[in-house]
Amino acid sequence: MADTNFDLIVVGGGPGGYVAAIRAAQLGLKTAVVERENMGGICLNWGCIPTKALLRTSEVYGLIKHADAYGLTVKDVSFDPKKIVERSRKVAGQLSNGVKGLMKKNKITVFDGTARLAGAGKLAVAMNDKSNVTLAYKNVILATGARARQLPGLESDGKLIWSYREAMVPPEFPKSLLVIGSGAIGIEFASFYRTMGAEVTVCEVLERILPVEDEEVSAFAKRAFEKQGMKILTAATVSNLKKGANSVTATITQGGKSQEITVDRVISAVGIVGNVENLGLEGTKAKVEKTHIVIDQWGFTGEPNVYAIGDVAGPPWLAHKAMHEGVLVVEKIAGVKGVHPMKTENIPGCTYCQPQVASIGLTEAVAKAKGLQVKVGKFPFIGNGKAIALGEPEGFIKTIFDAKTGELLGAHMIGAEVTELIQGYSVAKTLETTEAELMATVFPHPTLSEMMHESVLAAYGRTLHI
């Protein structure tokens, strides 16, 4: 019988949960994880990682289709949907097994089952093998994540109307597709399937796609997607989905007018809800608001020794936020000195469509709404030698500074590899770097990163290459 007494138990083995457990073990805490499905959670198994494998396939396919632009001749280009999906699942499986290995390496006990709070210091676990065990803890972290939101009348059925799970493992690729929602998940799938040849329509209830991004980025993305052949409908709602034998007819209302479109498949990407059910929160001091557990700056729920991190604890719903949050909470529990609360404004966000989108901090509109005087710099990809050499000259980098202090308030990018570039601004914001320090930084040539430097220079009228 495995030991049932622990210094820390983490409920959920996703990015936040498994990282929290590893950090706890490093700090000498006797640690356990309870996971009901696959180690690595949604991110490694059904989210971040397998979708990037799919998007890499579409990126390569897109390059091959334009091989002539690079002086290459490629004939009879085709693809095998089964092999594409198999590769994605293999990547996910490799990383999930890697997390299992990390648990063993760090001597973390893993319970395969579903846990709920069962009184002070007690956790009841219904094991997947149908047995039951009660665990004792000094501290517990709830890291149960979230799932796709289901809207009435638009619920996924696993066949004709897909959530992200079905969209990742299609038995065959649809020839036409309606994507409901234009956040990161919706746009990534829209980008993937459009590049692979599907006729794609994106329907967004708000006035613009990628609504959390800077307005200029949203506008540029819309133009780029439409150039690729996507149909983008904003300020539009889907009011009805009528299922056929192998198709769906959607009623879409926009500007007071309704139209019907028939597609092979629909992807519903309208947000997430926290996995707060059956955690035993009833009768505790923990509060749930809008399906998410309320926490303070240290992840504390209000119930003694009970903490929450990641998607179940609210936005931003990002794996890297959950990881950092897990480390922060564990170090606070362990009494590590110098632990600082997380600043959400220093968390970058990335969307891996084509072109890629990345951002951090305040948009120009939000900065001005806060009453800040700002200096804004922009630099286009067409002014960068590496971008032209890559055949990727479309996009721009935008930086926003406090005009009084020189503080970097935000950075917003669209174009090739910006999901890799954004980390430079993440470091700058974390270090509270000013415009003077960024302008004095030497960037290597020829690189895409030079545009980051030029954007800063542009904010102060000093740009060199445009």
Side-chain angles (χ1 to χ4, degrees):
M1 184 68 181
D3 199 339
T4 58
N5 295 280
F6 298 92
D7 296 321
L8 174 69
I9 302 176
V10 182
V11 181
Y18 83 74
V19 166
I22 291 171
R23 184 65 184 127
Q26 290 174 342
L27 292 170
L29 301 181
K30 185 180 175 184
T31 306
V33 172
V34 181
E35 170 55 51
R36 66 185 180 185
E37 194 172 358
N38 299 308
M39 289 303 297
I42 294 297
C43 176
L44 265 63
N45 294 281
W46 294 102
C48 316
I49 299 302
T51 55
K52 302 311 160 287
L54 293 175
L55 286 160
R56 176 59 172 169
T57 292
S58 68
E59 180 184 13
V60 172
Y61 184 59
L63 286 170
I64 292 173
K65 289 196 297 182
H66 295 91
D68 184 66
Y70 297 90
L72 304 174
T73 300
V74 181
K75 296 181 179 180
D76 302 322
V77 180
S78 62
F79 60 84
D80 185 333
K82 183 179 179 181
K83 288 184 177 180
I84 292 172
V85 172
E86 283 178 350
R87 176 180 180 273
S88 173
R89 300 317 306 158
K90 184 178 179 180
V91 169
Q94 178 180 343
L95 287 169
S96 182
N97 288 332
V99 173
K100 293 178 183 177
L102 289 172
M103 297 299 99
K104 292 180 180 179
K105 175 185 175 182
N106 289 279
K107 297 180 173 57
I108 297 165
T109 304
V110 177
F111 293 89
D112 299 321
T114 303
R116 63 180 286 117
L117 300 174
K122 301 291 183 182
L123 202 65
V125 181
M127 300 291 286
N128 292 345
D129 64 5
K130 306 303 181 181
S131 63
N132 295 287
V133 62
T134 298
L135 307 179
Y137 64 81
K138 293 180 181 177
N139 293 281
V140 64
I141 295 176
L142 305 176
T144 50
R147 62 187 183 277
R149 182 184 298 277
Q150 302 282 355
L151 296 182
L154 308 180
E155 297 92 346
S156 59
D157 62 9
K159 180 183 177 183
L160 298 174
I161 305 171
W162 293 343
S163 70
Y164 59 84
R165 287 206 179 206
E166 293 82 26
M168 258 182 279
V169 290
E172 58 186 20
F173 283 10
K175 291 183 172 61
S176 58
L177 179 71
L178 170 64
V179 179
I180 306 173
S182 73
I185 294 173
I187 286 297
E188 286 184 0
F189 279 120
S191 186
F192 169 74
Y193 280 107
R194 177 63 198 131
T195 304
M196 302 310 295
E199 295 296 322
V200 174
T201 300
V202 176
C203 185
E204 170 57 54
V205 68
L206 298 177
E207 295 290 335
R208 56 190 178 93
I209 62 170
L210 296 169
V212 302
E213 302 295 342
D214 187 88
E215 291 182 14
E216 289 189 86
V217 169
S218 292
F220 190 100
K222 182 174 183 290
R223 291 193 298 270
F225 297 149
E226 289 176 334
K227 185 178 179 181
Q228 295 166 16
M230 279 191 213
K231 187 174 183 180
I232 307 289
L233 303 176
T234 54
T237 58
V238 179
S239 56
N240 185 46
L241 294 176
K242 183 179 179 181
K243 301 177 186 177
N246 197 33
S247 64
V248 181
T249 299
T251 301
I252 300 175
T253 303
Q254 184 185 38
K257 297 180 180 180
S258 295
Q259 63 172 314
E260 288 189 344
I261 66 169
T262 299
V263 295
D264 291 343
R265 297 293 181 269
V266 174
I267 296 178
S268 178
V270 291
I272 63 172
V273 293
N275 293 323
V276 294
E277 300 86 357
N278 304 314
L279 287 178
L281 295 173
E282 305 82 5
T284 71
K285 295 180 180 179
K287 296 180 180 179
V288 175
E289 293 182 358
K290 297 181 179 179
T291 78
H292 298 283
I293 300 172
V294 178
I295 59 172
D296 69 6
Q297 62 182 344
W298 306 114
F300 181 53
T301 65
E303 178 68 13
N305 307 107
V306 178
Y307 301 81
I309 63 171
D311 287 358
V312 75
W317 295 292
L318 300 166
H320 44 284
K321 171 257 192 182
M323 292 180 181
H324 187 83
E325 207 167 29
V327 171
L328 183 159
V329 170
V330 165
E331 291 184 346
K332 189 67 175 177
I333 289 171
V336 174
K337 293 182 179 180
V339 181
H340 298 286
M342 183 165 57
K343 294 182 178 180
T344 56
E345 64 270 23
N346 288 349
I347 301 174
C350 299
T351 305
Y352 299 81
C353 47
Q354 290 294 330
Q356 293 181 6
V357 174
S359 60
I360 189 170
L362 303 181
T363 65
E364 182 179 356
V366 170
K368 289 179 177 178
K370 289 178 174 288
L372 297 171
Q373 296 180 27
V374 299
K375 286 185 177 291
V376 178
K378 282 179 61 178
F379 192 83
F381 270 55
I382 193 65
N384 178 262
K386 180 68 178 293
I388 295 171
L390 288 174
E392 302 276 6
E394 296 185 358
F396 67 85
I397 294 178
K398 178 178 180 178
T399 47
I400 302 159
F401 292 89
D402 187 311
K404 293 183 177 180
T405 66
E407 177 188 356
L408 176 63
L409 299 174
H412 308 275
M413 309 176 171
I414 184 167
E417 300 303 330
V418 297
T419 57
E420 296 292 339
L421 297 179
I422 193 64
Q423 186 57 27
Y425 288 130
S426 299
V427 172
K429 279 188 62 62
T430 299
L431 296 178
E432 299 181 348
T433 305
T434 67
E435 92 292 356
E437 292 159 325
L438 285 169
M439 286 192 285
T441 300
V442 178
F443 287 73
H445 173 81
T447 64
L448 298 176
S449 68
E450 290 175 274
M451 291 183 288
M452 300 168 64
H453 190 219
E454 290 277 14
S455 181
V456 175
L457 293 172
Y460 292 85
R462 291 178 52 182
T463 187
L464 299 170
H465 287 95
I466 202 72

